[in-house]
């Protein structure tokens, strides 16, 4: 609220509108590996369209990103957390081993990150915290925001496993946003206890994706003009399922021998071995 000095005889009407400072919203995005993935891309589109008279956005990252300078030039404050332990690598997927691994991860990764975020939230006093990666990947930020008594919005964009600790902490989530109705149903059925559930589709500026360039792409990859083409777009990571597409295309080519497939996406830092497996499987055809 803006204070008005009346000591100089200013005539202030009691009916004058009260001017409020914009609400400070902290967006927490936890991706690492130098990638610019869907969760961060969604935030960038949102930041460009926020009403700065009502909201003051800030971004919290777990590593430095190339977009930081552009955001700062637009008046967005960016906080990069100091390096902390990374999630433990996948091991045995059996239930007992998974439970032990999760407890270790909570103690060595999640809680140290939660403490760092708690210090940041207490210092900066945001009005609300937005979890860009959902209750599982952003569990540290969920814990920190709950400790600070801050309103929490969790944006769920996939079908990640939601464990018992995530279900317990989700009772502090004010609004859970699903990217699709299927994602919203998934988190509900998984036991997320948010006070409200919404489905909000990602906004896309269609003018940025004007049709054209098909012939140039076919020429660049040596694909005949009449050949059918399928594809998948996304960073190369096992959970995204590019290997499923490779196997499906291998089977489809038995009946459609001129079928081509384009796998489009960068190699995530943790996806190097997976990318090598994909190339070996494709070469075996």
């Amino acid at each position: 609220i803006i204070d008005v000095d009346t000591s100089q005889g200013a005539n202030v009407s009691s009916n004058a509108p009260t001017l409020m400072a914009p609400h400070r919203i902290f967006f927490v995005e936890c991706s690492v590996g130098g990638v610019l993935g869907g969760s961060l891309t969604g935030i960038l589109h949102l930041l460009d369209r926020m009403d700065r008279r009502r909201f003051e956005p800030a971004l919290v990252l777990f590593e430095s990103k190339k977009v930081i300078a552009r955001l700062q030039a637009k008046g967005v404050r960016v906080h990069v957390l100091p390096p902390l332990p990374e999630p433990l690598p996948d091991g045995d997927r059996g239930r007992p081993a998974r439970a032990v691994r999760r407890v270790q991860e909570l103690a060595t990764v999640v809680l140290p990150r939660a403490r760092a975020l708690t210090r940041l939230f207490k210092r900066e006093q945001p009005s609300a915290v937005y979890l860009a990666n959902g209750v599982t990947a952003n569990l540290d930020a969920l814990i920190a925001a709950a400790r600070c008594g801050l309103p929490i919005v969790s944006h769920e964009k996939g079908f990640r496993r939601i464990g018992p600790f995530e279900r317990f902490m989700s009772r502090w989530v004010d609004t859970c946003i699903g990217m699709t109705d299927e994602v919203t149903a998934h988190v509900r059925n998984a036991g997320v206890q948010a006070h409200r559930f919404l489905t909000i589709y990602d906004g896309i500026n269609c003018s940025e994706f004007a049709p054209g360039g098909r012939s140039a792409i076919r020429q660049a990859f040596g694909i005949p003009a009449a050949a059918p083409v399928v594809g998948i777009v996304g960073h190369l990571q096992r959970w995204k399922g590019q290997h499923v597409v490779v196997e499906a295309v291998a089977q489809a080519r038995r009946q459609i021998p001129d079928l081509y497939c384009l796998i489009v996406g960068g190699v995530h830092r943790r996806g190097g071995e997976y990318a090598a497996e994909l190339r070996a499987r494709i070469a075996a055809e």
Side-chain angles (χ1 to χ4, degrees):
I1 301 175
I2 298 178
D3 295 324
V4 179
D5 183 1
T6 59
S7 61
Q8 302 302 319
N11 183 16
V12 181
S13 171
S14 60
N15 296 324
T18 302
L19 299 178
M20 300 295 294
H23 298 288
R24 181 178 295 178
I25 311 299
F26 267 44
F27 294 83
V28 182
E29 205 283 322
C30 69
S31 67
V32 295
V35 299
L36 179 57
S39 56
L40 182 52
T41 300
I43 293 175
L44 297 179
H45 287 301
L46 182 58
L47 294 181
D48 285 341
R49 291 160 178 80
M50 291 185 73
D51 185 349
R52 298 300 180 86
R53 295 169 299 180
R54 299 174 57 199
F55 303 105
E56 178 188 335
L59 179 61
V60 182
L61 298 174
F62 285 23
E63 68 175 11
S64 183
K65 303 278 189 182
K66 294 181 179 179
V67 298
I68 290 179
R70 176 162 62 90
L71 289 171
Q72 291 175 333
K74 295 181 178 181
V76 178
R77 297 182 64 185
V78 180
H79 304 270
V80 180
L81 293 184
L84 290 171
E86 295 184 4
L88 300 176
D90 290 335
D92 188 345
R93 296 183 181 273
R95 178 172 292 183
R98 187 169 60 221
V100 171
R101 175 182 173 275
R102 186 53 174 161
V103 171
Q104 292 175 333
E105 189 173 75
L106 286 172
T108 62
V109 179
V110 175
L111 293 181
R113 289 189 182 277
R115 286 193 290 269
L117 285 163
T118 299
R119 291 191 294 269
L120 176 65
F121 294 159
K122 287 183 176 180
R123 184 179 75 242
E124 298 294 329
Q125 296 292 306
S127 303
V129 173
Y130 171 103
L131 312 179
N133 311 94
V135 296
T136 299
N138 282 136
L139 180 58
D140 40 26
L142 172 52
I143 294 171
R147 289 184 62 189
C148 295
L150 299 172
I152 302 168
V153 175
S154 178
H155 203 156
E156 302 286 343
K157 297 192 173 185
F159 301 95
R160 299 195 64 159
R161 181 181 180 275
I162 297 174
F165 196 74
E166 288 84 357
R167 288 194 292 270
F168 173 79
M169 289 302 304
S170 68
R171 67 186 64 194
W172 279 276
V173 174
D174 293 271
T175 300
C176 181
I177 300 173
M179 187 170 65
T180 66
D181 288 335
E182 290 76 11
V183 172
T184 303
H186 167 73
V187 295
R188 277 181 176 272
N189 295 335
V192 169
Q193 304 176 60
H195 298 289
R196 182 172 63 157
F197 291 87
L198 296 173
T199 295
I200 301 178
Y201 302 114
D202 282 357
I204 298 175
N205 184 356
C206 296
S207 65
E208 296 179 359
F209 301 94
R214 294 182 179 180
S215 60
I217 293 174
R218 286 177 177 268
Q219 183 177 4
F221 290 96
I223 302 174
V229 180
V230 297
I232 179 172
V233 179
H235 292 300
L236 300 187
Q237 294 178 271
R238 190 176 302 277
W239 67 269
K240 289 182 180 287
Q242 284 93 349
H243 61 286
V244 178
V245 175
V246 171
E247 294 298 332
V249 170
Q251 295 184 35
R253 282 175 62 89
R254 297 168 188 168
Q255 298 182 9
I256 314 173
D258 60 342
L259 175 65
Y260 284 79
C261 176
L262 294 175
I263 298 178
V264 182
V267 179
H268 190 278
R269 186 178 67 184
R270 298 175 186 159
E273 182 178 346
Y274 179 57
E277 291 178 14
L278 288 175
R279 293 189 179 99
R281 177 65 182 89
I282 295 168
E285 282 297 313

